[in-house]
Amino acid sequence: MIAPSVGLPLPRTDGFDKVTGRAAYVDDLRVPGCLHGATIRSTIPHGRLRRIRRDPAFDWSGFTFVTAADIPGQNVIALITDDQPALVDGIIRHAEEPVCLLAHRDRERLLAGLRAVTLECDPLPAALTIREGLARKAKIYGRDNIFKEIRIRKGEVRTAFRGAHRIVEGTFRTGLQEQLYIETNGMIAIPERGGRMSVLGSLQCPYYVHKALKRLLGVGDDRVRVVQTTTGGGFGGKEEYPSMLAAHCALLARKAGKPVKIVYDRLEDLAATTKRHPSVVRHRTAVSREGRLLGMDIDVLMDGGAYLTLSPVVLSRGAIHAAGPYRCENLAIRARAVATNTPPNGAFRGFGAPQTIFAVEMQLNRIARALRIDPVELRRRNVLRPGDSTATGQVLDAGASGPLVLEEAVRRSGWSVRRASFTKRAPPDPERASKAPRKGTASGRIRRGLGLSLFYHGAGFTGIGEVYLDSHASLAVTRDGSVEIHTASTEIGQGMRTTFAQIVGDELGLPPSMVRLAPQDTSLVPNSGPTVASRTCMIVGKILANAAADLRDALVQWAGDSPRRAPGRRATRGPWNPQQFRRLASAWVRKTGPKVFTRKYDRPPGMKWDEKEYRGDAYGAFGWGVNVAEVEVDAETFEIRVPRVDVVLEIGTVVNPLLAQGQAEGGTLQGVGYALTEEVVRKNGRMANAQLTNYIIPTTADTPEFRTTLLSNAYRHGPFGAKGMGELPLDGPGPAIAAAIENALGVSIVELPITPERLAKAIRARPAHE
Amino acid sequence: MSEIRITVNGRRFRVRVPPMKRLLDVLREDCGLTGAKEGCGEGECGACTVLLDGEAVNSCLVPALQANGRKITTIEGLARGKRLSRLQAAFLSAGATQCGICTPGMLLMAEALARGRTGGRAIDWREGLAGNLCRCTGYTKILEAVKEV
Ligand code: FES
Ligand code: FES
């Protein structure tokens, strides 16, 4: 028997191909006879499409041209609601909305063709902000431009406010954020003989694309095949958008009768694809003299963009996390996703939670200041403990790790000493700032501060979402006696190829190298659900672990039934060494036929969820975290540096510490960008900074020193005790950095990203401390 | 169309291309070497980094004509068969690659910095790698990996 691999920092199994340049991403594939495709998009945010005009003087030979009229099935991108067309048919509802498509064998000709098409439109008034959407400046969705409204209620809020020592109010805002995977969206559609359409590309959810294409093409299951190619990052940005891109490629390929490839350049990817929802969150909190949260009244608004896409689900997660990991018996949360004439916002790591967690954490700091209580002490008094219940009434068991991560972070970061050492000075003068030279760090100009955030993040789909998904996963034994994993879960850099092999390997008593992964191809693998929501390791990993246990038991039994083949010794994980297993399994398949073990999602016993009332067990498990961020602010230029962030995360059993640290560090850095530099500027509904020169993500030069600690509080229903962790790290940096800046300058931060301009404004607005 | 002669990873190529065709496209389309990636096409992300006569360049900004007669190293030229270069091996074991799309460019930039090391002077990796964007790793494991070599 071999030693277990769960818990070991194994290098990733796809690492060799990635460091040698062999890994083939979609744009690296050579498909004979492939045409290049391109999209013609609206430039106005709202209007009536009168005519698509093709220059009659232009030579259109060799071009394939597709409009909404060419769609054989329904003109929708099927996801939750059928409101979003694949191509504009009549009404344009946002800038960059796809109107028609072109393909040509030659890229230069294609570009010339794009210039020879003009859209004739009658503009309509546009609602470009949440406020304008609510005011119905334009009619976009339903009667009131509300995609979804969620209410969460607990206890008696009004009574709680009446008995309060103080009522603290705050309104907090966050902006758009781009996922900025380094590989832009790309797809190839290949029409096959027999009428099947194959689509290959960079994506997170093969079966989402599959579902969308069936509706668009009006065909059955087996007429569409979706294959994931090596994917250069997703972060949610390749959850729903690939369905749109696949639709476009498939329509062109169908009409041309030839393969068609579309790979967006960075400009198009930035301008047209989904982003994190902007938010406005208003808090009113009733507190006792000691700082207990007696009542919370929270209003959440999110900008969904022009189509519903995933907004109700993003909103749902945002609403559930809006009260933070704190105990409060009386609360009312009202959350609305609003339609605007802007490109639809969508999934991005954290999925609504980073917005509402930023707000509640800043509100906690406000309360701490109002009551003159240390922010850590305030959190200690209110953090959810075992036996407490969350906003939705979910009673937490021993898995409530809030106190654990808080104390661990305070200790490891040296919170008390460092916080005390960053003595407060008078806030800088914004008038002088404009005249200040950009360079130079004369002592006294640099203000330092320390801030902390406490957060939790539910893993897996919300409520009964996992039951609806009904994910399946299989293990097959091959004739050569190795084991093959069949799931639609995708490797997007997070490391599932490696963690799945570790989980299955350990369950079978085999080294991970003996466990292979079948391609993510809908014609080969079952629907194990989308690769989103921190669910892959915890949910699909558990299904695989169960399937592996079935396989092991069946093989042991077969071997036992045939005494001559029995390996004899019976060990806990399997009575074989790798060579014995291979021989035995190979004989098993050859003698008794192919072996496939399929399992589906089993809901942990006792989990209850009321979708109408939004009450009950929202998630099987929560990951818990604390960030302690140190900042240095140049008091004259308002440049902000983050030299160090202590990251403490409790994620259940750590299947692979190397990969988990990578997730923690990568997610935290995305949060640093969200906090400070990542800002989408829009003019008349179009992105004005759709370039990496002015949409700024962190580089090596501005990466903090991360001190990462991973803690384990095993989750009974996860594979070997693992919980989901992909999104958790992004929840913490925004509020921790904002709190550190408040500490450094004595200002109140109410909006992300904290650009130098916004910081100057915050300083002007002082005295801010209540 | 111009005839361009380049030596890539020790192999000689002669291609007929428009003189202003980007070196990145020449490598990917005409030489069949797809290791160099396009992340932005405007010199901001470093995914297309290759070595031109030993020096790191953004191949999306280099016209074919400018590469004529010169030696190029791409990611495909770093390993000897199955034997990884020291940097490649360090990236693998330190967990410095996740989705992998930035990795070829990052490795070649690191290679150029390591080769350019003069005397015993320490390399400022943070400054040196600041033109190569990675959205997955948070750079921490990348910085650990390069410091190993
Ligand atoms: S593609 Fe050349 S620098 Fe980004
Ligand atoms: S590993 Fe994904 S961008 Fe660097």
Side-chain angles (χ1 to χ4, degrees), chain A residues 8-39:
Chain A
L8 297 183
L10 300 185
R12 51 187 318 130
T13 57
D14 51 351
F16 183 86
D17 284 354
K18 287 178 173 174
V19 299
T20 52
R22 292 180 198 197
Y25 301 79
V26 62
D27 202 22
D28 302 339
L29 302 181
R30 286 220 166 187
V31 178
C34 194
L35 309 182
H36 296 283
T39 316

mmCIF file of all heavy atoms in Angstrom, chain A residues 8-39:
data_model
loop_
_atom_site.group_PDB
_atom_site.id
_atom_site.type_symbol
_atom_site.label_atom_id
_atom_site.label_comp_id
_atom_site.label_asym_id
_atom_site.label_seq_id
_atom_site.Cartn_x
_atom_site.Cartn_y
_atom_site.Cartn_z
ATOM 1 N N LEU A 8 -0.275 16.548 0.451
ATOM 2 C CA LEU A 8 1.098 16.775 -0.038
ATOM 3 C C LEU A 8 1.129 17.885 -1.091
ATOM 4 O O LEU A 8 0.213 18.012 -1.901
ATOM 5 C CB LEU A 8 1.654 15.491 -0.673
ATOM 6 C CG LEU A 8 1.809 14.280 0.243
ATOM 7 C CD1 LEU A 8 2.443 13.131 -0.533
ATOM 8 C CD2 LEU A 8 2.646 14.636 1.469
ATOM 9 N N PRO A 9 2.229 18.666 -1.083
ATOM 10 C CA PRO A 9 2.348 19.764 -2.059
ATOM 11 C C PRO A 9 2.839 19.254 -3.412
ATOM 12 O O PRO A 9 3.906 19.648 -3.876
ATOM 13 C CB PRO A 9 3.374 20.686 -1.392
ATOM 14 C CG PRO A 9 4.240 19.762 -0.602
ATOM 15 C CD PRO A 9 3.362 18.618 -0.158
ATOM 16 N N LEU A 10 2.082 18.379 -4.050
ATOM 17 C CA LEU A 10 2.526 17.812 -5.326
ATOM 18 C C LEU A 10 2.487 18.874 -6.422
ATOM 19 O O LEU A 10 1.551 19.668 -6.496
ATOM 20 C CB LEU A 10 1.609 16.662 -5.747
ATOM 21 C CG LEU A 10 1.511 15.484 -4.788
ATOM 22 C CD1 LEU A 10 0.658 14.387 -5.405
ATOM 23 C CD2 LEU A 10 2.902 14.948 -4.459
ATOM 24 N N PRO A 11 3.513 18.864 -7.292
ATOM 25 C CA PRO A 11 3.445 19.771 -8.445
ATOM 26 C C PRO A 11 2.293 19.373 -9.356
ATOM 27 O O PRO A 11 1.902 18.195 -9.412
ATOM 28 C CB PRO A 11 4.784 19.584 -9.144
ATOM 29 C CG PRO A 11 5.420 18.393 -8.544
ATOM 30 C CD PRO A 11 4.733 18.064 -7.263
ATOM 31 N N ARG A 12 1.755 20.334 -10.076
ATOM 32 C CA ARG A 12 0.564 20.064 -10.878
ATOM 33 C C ARG A 12 0.883 19.104 -12.023
ATOM 34 O O ARG A 12 1.945 19.149 -12.625
ATOM 35 C CB ARG A 12 -0.041 21.347 -11.394
ATOM 36 C CG ARG A 12 0.938 22.259 -12.103
ATOM 37 C CD ARG A 12 0.298 23.587 -12.436
ATOM 38 N NE ARG A 12 -1.037 23.374 -12.915
ATOM 39 C CZ ARG A 12 -2.107 24.018 -12.444
ATOM 40 N NH1 ARG A 12 -1.968 24.929 -11.532
ATOM 41 N NH2 ARG A 12 -3.278 23.754 -12.933
ATOM 42 N N THR A 13 -0.092 18.255 -12.335
ATOM 43 C CA THR A 13 0.137 17.217 -13.343
ATOM 44 C C THR A 13 0.247 17.807 -14.749
ATOM 45 O O THR A 13 0.861 17.204 -15.616
ATOM 46 C CB THR A 13 -1.007 16.183 -13.347
ATOM 47 O OG1 THR A 13 -2.236 16.884 -13.563
ATOM 48 C CG2 THR A 13 -1.093 15.461 -12.016
ATOM 49 N N ASP A 14 -0.347 18.985 -14.966
ATOM 50 C CA ASP A 14 -0.253 19.587 -16.295
ATOM 51 C C ASP A 14 0.886 20.603 -16.366
ATOM 52 O O ASP A 14 1.010 21.352 -17.323
ATOM 53 C CB ASP A 14 -1.585 20.256 -16.678
ATOM 54 C CG ASP A 14 -2.094 21.207 -15.592
ATOM 55 O OD1 ASP A 14 -1.521 21.216 -14.477
ATOM 56 O OD2 ASP A 14 -3.059 21.940 -15.851
ATOM 57 N N GLY A 15 1.727 20.580 -15.348
ATOM 58 C CA GLY A 15 2.793 21.578 -15.270
ATOM 59 C C GLY A 15 3.868 21.414 -16.332
ATOM 60 O O GLY A 15 4.372 22.399 -16.878
ATOM 61 N N PHE A 16 4.212 20.172 -16.641
ATOM 62 C CA PHE A 16 5.273 19.957 -17.625
ATOM 63 C C PHE A 16 4.905 20.585 -18.965
ATOM 64 O O PHE A 16 5.692 21.315 -19.569
ATOM 65 C CB PHE A 16 5.542 18.456 -17.791
ATOM 66 C CG PHE A 16 6.681 18.164 -18.736
ATOM 67 C CD1 PHE A 16 7.991 18.151 -18.283
ATOM 68 C CD2 PHE A 16 6.433 17.942 -20.093
ATOM 69 C CE1 PHE A 16 9.050 17.914 -19.167
ATOM 70 C CE2 PHE A 16 7.476 17.708 -20.967
ATOM 71 C CZ PHE A 16 8.785 17.682 -20.510
ATOM 72 N N ASP A 17 3.686 20.343 -19.413
ATOM 73 C CA ASP A 17 3.247 20.918 -20.693
ATOM 74 C C ASP A 17 3.212 22.440 -20.641
ATOM 75 O O ASP A 17 3.413 23.109 -21.646
ATOM 76 C CB ASP A 17 1.859 20.399 -21.060
ATOM 77 C CG ASP A 17 1.909 18.970 -21.570
ATOM 78 O OD1 ASP A 17 3.031 18.440 -21.742
ATOM 79 O OD2 ASP A 17 0.841 18.374 -21.775
ATOM 80 N N LYS A 18 2.933 22.966 -19.470
ATOM 81 C CA LYS A 18 2.811 24.423 -19.363
ATOM 82 C C LYS A 18 4.170 25.115 -19.311
ATOM 83 O O LYS A 18 4.308 26.213 -19.837
ATOM 84 C CB LYS A 18 1.941 24.789 -18.152
ATOM 85 C CG LYS A 18 0.463 24.483 -18.433
ATOM 86 C CD LYS A 18 -0.461 24.777 -17.284
ATOM 87 C CE LYS A 18 -1.914 24.607 -17.747
ATOM 88 N NZ LYS A 18 -2.877 24.748 -16.641
ATOM 89 N N VAL A 19 5.163 24.495 -18.699
ATOM 90 C CA VAL A 19 6.472 25.156 -18.678
ATOM 91 C C VAL A 19 7.275 24.909 -19.958
ATOM 92 O O VAL A 19 8.283 25.570 -20.190
ATOM 93 C CB VAL A 19 7.335 24.772 -17.441
ATOM 94 C CG1 VAL A 19 6.648 25.170 -16.152
ATOM 95 C CG2 VAL A 19 7.697 23.300 -17.442
ATOM 96 N N THR A 20 6.823 23.971 -20.773
ATOM 97 C CA THR A 20 7.567 23.711 -22.010
ATOM 98 C C THR A 20 6.878 24.314 -23.239
ATOM 99 O O THR A 20 7.395 24.199 -24.353
ATOM 100 C CB THR A 20 7.710 22.191 -22.258
ATOM 101 O OG1 THR A 20 6.417 21.593 -22.173
ATOM 102 C CG2 THR A 20 8.638 21.553 -21.240
ATOM 103 N N GLY A 21 5.724 24.919 -23.055
ATOM 104 C CA GLY A 21 5.026 25.513 -24.195
ATOM 105 C C GLY A 21 4.246 24.504 -25.017
ATOM 106 O O GLY A 21 3.751 24.815 -26.095
ATOM 107 N N ARG A 22 4.109 23.272 -24.501
ATOM 108 C CA ARG A 22 3.362 22.266 -25.272
ATOM 109 C C ARG A 22 1.858 22.375 -25.095
ATOM 110 O O ARG A 22 1.105 21.870 -25.920
ATOM 111 C CB ARG A 22 3.766 20.860 -24.827
ATOM 112 C CG ARG A 22 5.173 20.539 -25.199
ATOM 113 C CD ARG A 22 5.544 19.152 -24.747
ATOM 114 N NE ARG A 22 6.995 19.049 -24.748
ATOM 115 C CZ ARG A 22 7.658 17.916 -24.722
ATOM 116 N NH1 ARG A 22 7.011 16.779 -24.654
ATOM 117 N NH2 ARG A 22 8.962 17.929 -24.743
ATOM 118 N N ALA A 23 1.442 22.947 -23.976
ATOM 119 C CA ALA A 23 0.001 23.044 -23.714
ATOM 120 C C ALA A 23 -0.648 23.812 -24.863
ATOM 121 O O ALA A 23 -0.187 24.881 -25.235
ATOM 122 C CB ALA A 23 -0.241 23.757 -22.390
ATOM 123 N N ALA A 24 -1.718 23.241 -25.432
ATOM 124 C CA ALA A 24 -2.344 23.865 -26.609
ATOM 125 C C ALA A 24 -3.617 24.601 -26.210
ATOM 126 O O ALA A 24 -4.608 23.987 -25.826
ATOM 127 C CB ALA A 24 -2.648 22.807 -27.657
ATOM 128 N N TYR A 25 -3.554 25.912 -26.285
ATOM 129 C CA TYR A 25 -4.723 26.763 -26.046
ATOM 130 C C TYR A 25 -5.459 26.911 -27.377
ATOM 131 O O TYR A 25 -4.929 26.541 -28.430
ATOM 132 C CB TYR A 25 -4.275 28.117 -25.492
ATOM 133 C CG TYR A 25 -3.496 27.977 -24.198
ATOM 134 C CD1 TYR A 25 -2.151 27.604 -24.198
ATOM 135 C CD2 TYR A 25 -4.113 28.186 -22.966
ATOM 136 C CE1 TYR A 25 -1.440 27.447 -23.011
ATOM 137 C CE2 TYR A 25 -3.408 28.036 -21.778
ATOM 138 C CZ TYR A 25 -2.067 27.663 -21.809
ATOM 139 O OH TYR A 25 -1.378 27.509 -20.637
ATOM 140 N N VAL A 26 -6.651 27.476 -27.331
ATOM 141 C CA VAL A 26 -7.487 27.411 -28.540
ATOM 142 C C VAL A 26 -6.803 28.069 -29.742
ATOM 143 O O VAL A 26 -6.856 27.537 -30.862
ATOM 144 C CB VAL A 26 -8.893 28.010 -28.281
ATOM 145 C CG1 VAL A 26 -8.849 29.483 -27.907
ATOM 146 C CG2 VAL A 26 -9.788 27.814 -29.500
ATOM 147 N N ASP A 27 -6.111 29.162 -29.522
ATOM 148 C CA ASP A 27 -5.499 29.845 -30.653
ATOM 149 C C ASP A 27 -4.272 29.096 -31.174
ATOM 150 O O ASP A 27 -3.718 29.435 -32.208
ATOM 151 C CB ASP A 27 -5.113 31.282 -30.242
ATOM 152 C CG ASP A 27 -4.983 32.210 -31.441
ATOM 153 O OD1 ASP A 27 -5.585 31.892 -32.497
ATOM 154 O OD2 ASP A 27 -4.286 33.227 -31.331
ATOM 155 N N ASP A 28 -3.837 28.082 -30.441
ATOM 156 C CA ASP A 28 -2.675 27.306 -30.875
ATOM 157 C C ASP A 28 -3.071 26.143 -31.780
ATOM 158 O O ASP A 28 -2.217 25.481 -32.366
ATOM 159 C CB ASP A 28 -1.934 26.742 -29.650
ATOM 160 C CG ASP A 28 -1.474 27.833 -28.696
ATOM 161 O OD1 ASP A 28 -1.355 28.988 -29.137
ATOM 162 O OD2 ASP A 28 -1.240 27.523 -27.514
ATOM 163 N N LEU A 29 -4.382 25.860 -31.862
ATOM 164 C CA LEU A 29 -4.822 24.705 -32.644
ATOM 165 C C LEU A 29 -4.803 25.035 -34.126
ATOM 166 O O LEU A 29 -5.142 26.149 -34.530
ATOM 167 C CB LEU A 29 -6.246 24.303 -32.240
ATOM 168 C CG LEU A 29 -6.449 23.953 -30.772
ATOM 169 C CD1 LEU A 29 -7.900 23.559 -30.522
ATOM 170 C CD2 LEU A 29 -5.513 22.825 -30.358
ATOM 171 N N ARG A 30 -4.403 24.071 -34.913
ATOM 172 C CA ARG A 30 -4.440 24.257 -36.358
ATOM 173 C C ARG A 30 -5.594 23.446 -36.909
ATOM 174 O O ARG A 30 -5.588 22.226 -36.815
ATOM 175 C CB ARG A 30 -3.146 23.739 -36.984
ATOM 176 C CG ARG A 30 -2.004 24.656 -36.713
ATOM 177 C CD ARG A 30 -1.154 24.753 -37.966
ATOM 178 N NE ARG A 30 -0.252 25.884 -37.816
ATOM 179 C CZ ARG A 30 0.514 26.317 -38.790
ATOM 180 N NH1 ARG A 30 0.507 25.732 -39.964
ATOM 181 N NH2 ARG A 30 1.297 27.346 -38.591
ATOM 182 N N VAL A 31 -6.560 24.124 -37.457
ATOM 183 C CA VAL A 31 -7.705 23.431 -38.041
ATOM 184 C C VAL A 31 -7.697 23.745 -39.535
ATOM 185 O O VAL A 31 -7.820 24.907 -39.925
ATOM 186 C CB VAL A 31 -9.023 23.898 -37.394
ATOM 187 C CG1 VAL A 31 -10.210 23.218 -38.039
ATOM 188 C CG2 VAL A 31 -9.001 23.643 -35.892
ATOM 189 N N PRO A 32 -7.514 22.720 -40.365
ATOM 190 C CA PRO A 32 -7.423 22.966 -41.805
ATOM 191 C C PRO A 32 -8.682 23.643 -42.342
ATOM 192 O O PRO A 32 -9.792 23.300 -41.944
ATOM 193 C CB PRO A 32 -7.278 21.560 -42.407
ATOM 194 C CG PRO A 32 -6.916 20.659 -41.272
ATOM 195 C CD PRO A 32 -7.391 21.302 -40.023
ATOM 196 N N GLY A 33 -8.485 24.617 -43.203
ATOM 197 C CA GLY A 33 -9.616 25.282 -43.862
ATOM 198 C C GLY A 33 -10.385 26.220 -42.965
ATOM 199 O O GLY A 33 -11.501 26.633 -43.299
ATOM 200 N N CYS A 34 -9.800 26.559 -41.830
ATOM 201 C CA CYS A 34 -10.527 27.370 -40.859
ATOM 202 C C CYS A 34 -10.614 28.832 -41.292
ATOM 203 O O CYS A 34 -9.640 29.427 -41.730
ATOM 204 C CB CYS A 34 -9.823 27.280 -39.511
ATOM 205 S SG CYS A 34 -10.802 27.897 -38.155
ATOM 206 N N LEU A 35 -11.806 29.400 -41.175
ATOM 207 C CA LEU A 35 -11.998 30.821 -41.467
ATOM 208 C C LEU A 35 -11.844 31.629 -40.182
ATOM 209 O O LEU A 35 -12.043 31.109 -39.093
ATOM 210 C CB LEU A 35 -13.406 31.070 -42.022
ATOM 211 C CG LEU A 35 -13.884 30.216 -43.186
ATOM 212 C CD1 LEU A 35 -15.294 30.673 -43.604
ATOM 213 C CD2 LEU A 35 -12.926 30.298 -44.369
ATOM 214 N N HIS A 36 -11.500 32.893 -40.350
ATOM 215 C CA HIS A 36 -11.493 33.800 -39.206
ATOM 216 C C HIS A 36 -12.843 34.495 -39.130
ATOM 217 O O HIS A 36 -13.363 34.963 -40.140
ATOM 218 C CB HIS A 36 -10.408 34.864 -39.366
ATOM 219 C CG HIS A 36 -9.023 34.288 -39.377
ATOM 220 N ND1 HIS A 36 -8.382 33.885 -38.239
ATOM 221 C CD2 HIS A 36 -8.184 34.021 -40.401
ATOM 222 C CE1 HIS A 36 -7.199 33.410 -38.554
ATOM 223 N NE2 HIS A 36 -7.046 33.474 -39.858
ATOM 224 N N GLY A 37 -13.379 34.579 -37.946
ATOM 225 C CA GLY A 37 -14.660 35.250 -37.768
ATOM 226 C C GLY A 37 -14.500 36.534 -36.983
ATOM 227 O O GLY A 37 -13.501 36.725 -36.283
ATOM 228 N N ALA A 38 -15.466 37.419 -37.119
ATOM 229 C CA ALA A 38 -15.447 38.675 -36.362
ATOM 230 C C ALA A 38 -16.874 39.144 -36.119
ATOM 231 O O ALA A 38 -17.810 38.731 -36.807
ATOM 232 C CB ALA A 38 -14.666 39.739 -37.106
ATOM 233 N N THR A 39 -16.998 40.021 -35.138
ATOM 234 C CA THR A 39 -18.309 40.455 -34.672
ATOM 235 C C THR A 39 -18.479 41.950 -34.911
ATOM 236 O O THR A 39 -17.578 42.718 -34.603
ATOM 237 C CB THR A 39 -18.413 40.193 -33.152
ATOM 238 O OG1 THR A 39 -17.881 38.896 -32.896
ATOM 239 C CG2 THR A 39 -19.850 40.260 -32.673
#
